């Protein structure tokens, strides 16, 4: 995949680059990302891809763990509804993951840091523009520090 | 509200019928044990009473101090070893039993349900009682007590606290939960008391990999409380036990109510109203909402 230095960092005059962890299903979104690479699409390198069999495999704990280890944004991407290789994995994901996002938001973890998308194996262009868009948003949101950094016992009283 | 052992003599009519039903079920071998409420000197709330003989069933009580959810005992092997379990349930407790049935943790023939109609416990009544949809438990083997008027559910009242939180900004919510979660001592009392936290091995005890940091710092505490709330989403029946036992008064019920409200809003689902219902996360619909998916 082609790398591209994102202009936002230079704009701010800092070296900071967001870290986006993406969990992609093997059958659609990973293939879509592959197609984007083979088509020599340019997109930001802030994204770190983890390949999984299915978006239904994504335990919400993966998302929390990613934040804990310093992700500024997490993306889960799978096949479009109706196209799941295992017929219903993404339908299950479509119930669980948005509910998890609601819970995070309710507890004060910015839900904009958790993205869900459907990208098919034929949508290389959707993939590259999606990554460009969310990377831009991740720059705008800035480093996610509240959660990963809150390990020191709070002083009370 | 506090009553001591002597008061057992002047039983209310519902207590009389409760003792009779329990003693009968024990005497004729229907059950090996009846788990209900008793009074113990020095305790403000009724304590669990395991009656294994008709005489012991004379100690059963039912009043506004019967707060606990006794469904917690049903899956336990040491309780099941006593024989078929008779259980005294209020409507809210029955909801937990229904979830245990729908998840096949227990089967219907394993339990003998003694339902008691309940207008609400505690003085003033608990929040859950003021919005309770099941004052009259249905589907029990016997149901006792005078009928209680069932007010029509007022969703806005049930969700008032959630709405209040949602009116706050993300930063304010974070500050609020940070203050709350900092207090957590990771005693896991919330899990131990929950009738639906029956896993033999909880995710928080899994170490390879370690999903939830066990150190009681804010990050680990948040992770624990997120996972607790999420594993109960679509399952929690709002009995309020977790919040009641939390030694540092974290408003766990607020998290539960948020998720329960979501299940109702998205999937028109309330947990534990029937033993054959389909939990939202065990099924799907091609027309489920697509909101917020890129
Ligand atoms: S999570 Fe709390 S309110 Fe819900 S069923 Fe468990 S103990 Fe009851
Ligand atoms: S009962 Fe309260 S203090 Fe104990 S683990 Fe649960 S939330 Fe933390």
């Amino acid at each position: 995949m082609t790398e591209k230095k994102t202009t936002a960092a230079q704009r701010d005059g800092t070296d900071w680059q967001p870290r986006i962890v993406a969990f992609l299903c093997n059958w659609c979104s990973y293939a879509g990302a592959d197609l984007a690479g083979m088509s020599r699409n340019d997109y930001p390198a802030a994204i770190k891809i983890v390949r999984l069999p299915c978006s239904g495999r994504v335990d919400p704990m993966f998302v929390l763990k990613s934040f804990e280890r310093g992700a500024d944004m997490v993306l889960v991407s799978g096949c479009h509804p109706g196209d799941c290789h295992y017929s219903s994995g993404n339908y299950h994901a479509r119930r669980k993951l948005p509910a998890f996002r609601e819970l995070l938001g309710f507890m004060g973890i910015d839900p904009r840091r958790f993205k869900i998308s459907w990208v098919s194996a034929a949508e290389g262009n959707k993939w590259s523009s999606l990554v460009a868009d969310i990377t831009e948003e991740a720059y705008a949101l800035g480093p996610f520090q509240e959660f990963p950094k809150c390990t020191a016992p709070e002083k009370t009283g | 509200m506090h009553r001591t052992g002597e008061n057992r003599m002047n039983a209310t009519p519902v207590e009389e019928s409760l003792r009779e039903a329990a003693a009968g079920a024990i005497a004729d071998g229907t059950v090996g044990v009846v788990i209900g409420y008793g009074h113990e000197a020095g305790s403000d709330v009724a304590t669990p009473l395991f009656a294994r003989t008709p005489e012991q069933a004379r100690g059963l009580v039912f009043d506004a101090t019967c707060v606990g959810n006794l469904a917690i005992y049903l899956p336990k092997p040491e309780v099941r070893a006593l024989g078929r379990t008779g259980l005294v349930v209020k409507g809210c407790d029955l909801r937990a039993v229904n979830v245990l049935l729908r998840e096949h943790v227990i089967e219907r023939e394993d339990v003998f349900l003694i339902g008691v109609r309940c207008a609400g416990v505690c003085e003033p009544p608990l929040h859950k009682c003021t919005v309770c949809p099941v004052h009259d438990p249905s589907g029990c083997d016997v149901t006792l007590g005078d009928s209680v008027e069932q007010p029509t559910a007022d969703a806005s009242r049930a969700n008032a606290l959630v709405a209040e939180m949602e009116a706050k900004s993300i930063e304010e919510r974070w500050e609020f939960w940070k203050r709350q979660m900092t207090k957590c001592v990771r005693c896991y009392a919330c899990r131990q008391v929950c009738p639906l936290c029956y896993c033999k091995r909880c995710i928080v005890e899994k170490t390879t990999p370690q999903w939830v940091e066990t150190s009681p710092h804010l990050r680990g505490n948040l992770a624990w409380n997120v996972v607790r709330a999420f594993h109960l989403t679509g399952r929690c029946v709002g009995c309020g036990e977790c919040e009641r036992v939390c030694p540092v008064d974290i408003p766990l019920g607020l998290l539960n109510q948020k998720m329960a409200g979501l299940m109702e809003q998205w999937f028109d689902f309330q947990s534990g109203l029937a033993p054959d219902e389909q939990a939202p996360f065990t099924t799907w619909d091609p027309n489920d909402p697509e909101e917020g998916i890129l």
Side-chain angles (χ1 to χ4, degrees):
Chain A
M1 271 170 257
T2 27
E3 271 201 31
K4 188 187 174 192
K5 280 264 176 302
T6 319
T7 49
Q10 292 149 0
R11 208 169 48 218
D12 292 353
T14 65
D15 284 339
W16 180 76
Q17 199 190 25
R19 273 180 292 194
I20 306 177
V21 176
F23 296 99
L24 307 190
C25 88
N26 182 43
W27 305 101
C28 294
S29 295
Y30 192 85
D34 220 15
L35 178 63
M38 281 191 294
S39 318
R40 305 197 164 272
N41 289 358
D42 260 354
Y43 66 84
I47 197 143
K48 317 280 178 249
I49 296 176
V50 180
R51 174 156 63 159
L52 293 173
C54 179
S55 54
R57 170 66 184 92
V58 178
D59 187 308
M61 288 312 281
F62 295 0
V63 179
L64 207 62
K65 212 58 181 174
S66 306
F67 286 139
E68 208 173 279
R69 297 288 169 89
D72 300 296
M73 186 180 272
V74 177
L75 167 72
V76 176
S77 189
C79 308
H80 285 271
D83 291 346
C84 177
H85 185 76
Y86 309 101
S87 73
S88 62
N90 55 358
Y91 284 128
H92 285 282
R94 189 168 65 171
R95 287 196 159 198
K96 276 193 297 184
L97 299 176
F100 189 67
R101 178 159 60 190
E102 284 280 328
L103 177 60
L104 294 183
F106 191 73
M107 295 184 77
I109 295 176
D110 197 329
R112 289 173 299 180
R113 294 190 183 274
F114 177 28
K115 304 287 185 215
I116 307 165
S117 67
W118 310 135
V119 173
S120 82
E123 293 175 323
N125 292 337
K126 177 174 179 182
W127 174 255
S128 33
S129 63
L130 175 86
V131 176
D133 290 351
I134 64 172
T135 305
E136 210 39 55
E137 196 178 344
Y139 270 112
L141 290 170
F144 186 30
Q145 291 178 324
E146 295 92 324
F147 182 62
K149 295 272 164 64
C150 64
T151 51
E154 287 274 308
K155 299 268 180 301
T156 43
Chain B
M1 199 199 294
H2 179 70
R3 301 197 331 183
T4 54
E6 294 89 79
N7 293 47
R8 285 174 189 170
M9 292 300 121
N10 14 5
T12 59
V14 57
E15 285 174 331
E16 274 306 341
S17 49
L18 173 61
R19 292 168 187 184
E20 203 178 301
I26 297 166
D28 67 15
T30 306
V31 296
V33 60
V34 169
I35 307 176
Y37 304 94
H39 282 309
E40 207 168 273
S43 174
D44 289 340
V45 289
T47 48
L49 185 140
F50 283 56
R52 302 190 64 196
T53 62
E55 292 69 47
Q56 288 168 346
R58 298 298 304 160
L60 289 169
V61 299
F62 192 84
D63 57 24
T65 69
C66 297
V67 182
N69 186 344
L70 303 173
I72 174 79
Y73 293 112
L74 290 181
K76 297 193 186 300
E78 59 274 30
V79 173
R80 303 187 70 161
L82 300 175
R84 189 175 179 212
T85 315
L87 193 76
V88 177
V89 287
K90 309 184 290 294
C92 50
D93 308 332
L94 180 68
R95 290 179 68 175
V97 176
N98 280 338
V99 177
L100 294 174
L101 288 170
R102 110 184 162 208
E103 294 179 354
H104 297 282
V105 178
I106 54 166
E107 297 303 328
R108 185 63 182 83
E109 58 273 17
D110 299 340
V111 283
F112 181 78
L113 297 171
I114 306 174
V116 186
R117 294 184 188 91
C118 164
V121 289
C122 280
E123 201 49 61
L126 300 176
H127 173 75
K128 68 163 180 176
C129 302
T130 64
V131 296
C132 171
V134 285
H135 289 299
D136 191 345
S138 67
C140 295
D141 296 283
V142 283
T143 312
L144 312 168
D146 300 332
S147 64
V148 177
E149 204 195 325
Q150 179 68 64
T152 43
D154 179 353
S156 63
R157 206 152 123 253
N159 293 321
L161 292 170
V162 172
E164 201 178 294
M165 176 61 62
E166 286 181 331
K168 294 185 204 278
S169 70
I170 280 285
E171 293 76 20
E172 287 168 326
R173 293 183 211 172
W174 176 254
E175 282 310 315
F176 175 85
W177 288 112
K178 212 167 99 177
R179 264 200 316 281
Q180 293 297 335
M181 296 308 174
T182 300
K183 300 186 293 186
C184 177
V185 292
R186 304 298 281 284
C187 62
Y188 303 131
C190 47
R191 173 191 73 183
Q192 292 313 110
V193 80
C194 177
L196 306 178
C197 272
Y198 52 72
C199 291
K200 290 207 177 71
R201 192 147 168 249
C202 175
I203 187 169
V204 82
E205 267 121 32
K206 292 194 175 153
T207 50
T208 47
Q210 184 180 60
W211 287 111
V212 181
E213 295 172 295
T214 48
S215 357
H217 53 50
L218 179 56
R219 191 172 73 186
N221 297 353
L222 269 159
W224 159 243
N225 280 287
V226 166
V227 74
R228 192 203 63 80
F230 199 70
H231 282 184
L232 284 148
T233 299
R235 304 177 60 238
C236 170
V237 294
C239 69
E241 288 291 89
C242 46
E243 180 165 325
R244 181 170 73 91
V245 298
C246 178
V248 293
D249 297 326
I250 297 174
L252 298 171
L254 190 52
L255 294 176
N256 298 335
Q257 280 157 27
K258 161 68 193 171
M259 297 318 277
L262 203 61
M263 294 299 108
E264 205 173 340
Q265 200 185 322
W266 286 0
F267 309 119
D268 192 21
F269 181 81
Q270 276 184 287
S271 185
L273 295 187
D276 53 2
E277 65 201 3
Q278 180 94 48
F281 287 170
T282 61
T283 185
W284 50 273
D285 187 292
N287 302 316
D288 279 338
E290 274 273 306
E291 252 173 68
I293 299 182
L294 300 170

